[in-house]
Amino acid sequence: MARAAISGGLKVRRTWRPAVLLERRPETASASTLVLDVPEWPGHLAGQHVDVRLTAPDGYQAARSYSLAAPSDGEQIEITVQAVPDGEVSGYLVGDARVGDTVEVRGPVGGWFVWKPEQSSPVLLVAGGSGVVPLMAMIRSRDGISSAPFRLIYSVRTPEDRIYHDELRQRATEDGGLTVTFLYTRAAPEHEPRPLGRLGLDDLVSYGWPAEVEPTCYVCGPTPFVETVADLLIFLGHDSTRIRTERFGPSGS
Ligand SMILES: Cc1cc2nc3c(=O)[nH]c(=O)nc-3n(C[C@H](O)[C@H](O)[C@H](O)COP(=O)(O)OP(=O)(O)OC[C@H]3O[C@@H](n4cnc5c(N)ncnc54)[C@H](O)[C@@H]3O)c2cc1C
């Protein structure tokens, strides 16, 4: 019985479904949020991702993974895509896709890099670049449902690269249980006290949680960023079983 239920669930997640683009919202000069309508979407958890498949008129197909950016909401899902230079799929989704276009999606995928509202322990979110997407889904999922305190540390190159900037600022202003810290590597806003630079030990000490608080840590971004942050967290005494990572390396198939 349980076996049948599991295999039924796997079949649902492995099925490619048509997804119609309902809305494309620019987030930065090179990143957009796409709202897709997916009939019979089974629902998802914050942190999970989907595979998106494009098919050219000659039958050529390309599939890439994209994190779900918002909590489960019926048959609508949101992804936020950062265009990478010469990117086959991200270039199309950010630059060319039009409302009414159909792509295919499969998922939801992933069971470890997820946050559930019933988790009451403090949460540390550490993002590099577009790695903020699944962490934003966690922040949005927490809204009004959970009082678990969240701290987000978000590393970007320049202020123009901050995805969800206005919403994050507003949420942090209105919600005493959420702090948001931006770190800049190449250019910072005027009067930014922290010198430019990659995320380091001092940043995790200043803006994260001490290990004694036993936070669950979610780290997402480019592979070298994720590995560095995970190593620093271990060095600071965080238990490896409470460090969950998602690497946004190339995901072509
Ligand atoms: C689990 C998972 C979740 C992901 N979620 C998101 C998300 O929410 N938003 C998002 O924008 N991306 C996300 N990605 C990355 C995404 O799947 C693609 O890798 C990315 O969009 C590039 O695909 P492309 O077809 O445009 O580039 P390609 O045509 O595959 O590659 C073009 C060039 O870019 C390089 N490249 C490929 N991928 C990346 C990358 N991720 N970073 C930097 N350079 C790259 C390639 O080496 C190549 O030189 C996720 C990846 C994984 C594995």
Side-chain angles (χ1 to χ4, degrees):
M1 188 75 163
R3 195 188 171 106
I6 290 168
S7 101
L10 281 176
K11 199 172 162 203
V12 166
R13 291 193 293 275
R14 285 183 188 152
T15 305
W16 288 104
R17 302 162 193 277
V20 179
L21 181 60
L22 297 178
E23 186 188 346
R24 189 156 60 93
R25 270 195 321 264
E27 299 285 356
T28 68
S30 57
S32 290
T33 291
L34 290 87
V35 182
L36 298 160
D37 180 57
V38 190
E40 296 180 41
W41 178 249
H44 61 268
L45 296 169
Q48 289 187 302
H49 65 273
V50 287
D51 294 330
V52 176
R53 184 165 73 177
L54 307 181
T55 305
D58 66 1
Y60 171 77
Q61 294 186 319
R64 303 286 185 270
S65 302
Y66 292 100
S67 297
L68 291 150
S72 203
D73 178 20
E75 297 191 334
Q76 284 190 19
I77 62 168
E78 288 189 22
I79 57 174
T80 302
V81 182
Q82 169 80 53
V84 306
D86 301 322
E88 197 174 32
V89 173
S90 64
Y92 169 80
L93 293 174
V94 175
D96 301 324
R98 296 285 169 261
V99 168
D101 284 356
T102 301
V103 298
E104 289 174 287
V105 303
R106 181 173 68 178
V109 184
W112 171 242
F113 193 82
V114 295
W115 180 79
K116 298 178 188 166
E118 56 265 32
Q119 289 175 229
S120 56
S121 62
V123 169
L124 173 63
L125 307 172
V126 188
S130 57
V132 73
V133 177
L135 309 186
M136 190 61 173
M138 295 176 192
I139 290 171
R140 288 169 168 164
S141 295
R142 168 185 174 279
D143 192 20
I145 292 182
S146 160
S147 56
F150 272 35
R151 291 185 179 172
L152 168 68
I153 305 176
Y154 180 13
S155 174
V156 286
R157 289 179 179 164
T158 74
E160 289 71 37
D161 295 313
R162 295 173 300 198
I163 300 174
Y164 314 129
H165 171 256
D166 293 349
E167 183 180 339
L168 284 170
R169 278 267 179 258
Q170 188 177 348
R171 284 182 181 276
T173 304
E174 293 172 355
D175 181 349
L178 171 69
T179 66
V180 175
T181 305
F182 294 99
L183 309 179
Y184 304 93
T185 59
R186 295 194 186 168
E190 228 180 316
H191 309 305
E192 166 66 30
R194 178 185 175 274
L196 294 177
R198 292 187 173 181
L199 185 151
L201 210 53
D202 290 351
D203 298 310
L204 291 174
V205 171
S206 300
Y207 310 118
W209 295 104
E212 303 77 67
V213 172
E214 301 193 339
T216 308
C217 306
Y218 296 86
V219 187
C220 186
T223 302
F225 174 89
V226 170
E227 286 173 1
T228 301
V229 174
D231 286 347
L232 292 174
L233 288 170
I234 299 271
F235 180 82
L236 287 171
H238 292 268
D239 189 320
S240 61
T241 59
R242 289 195 309 274
I243 302 173
R244 305 186 186 195
T245 58
E246 183 91 287
R247 292 161 175 77
F248 274 13
S251 61
S253 60

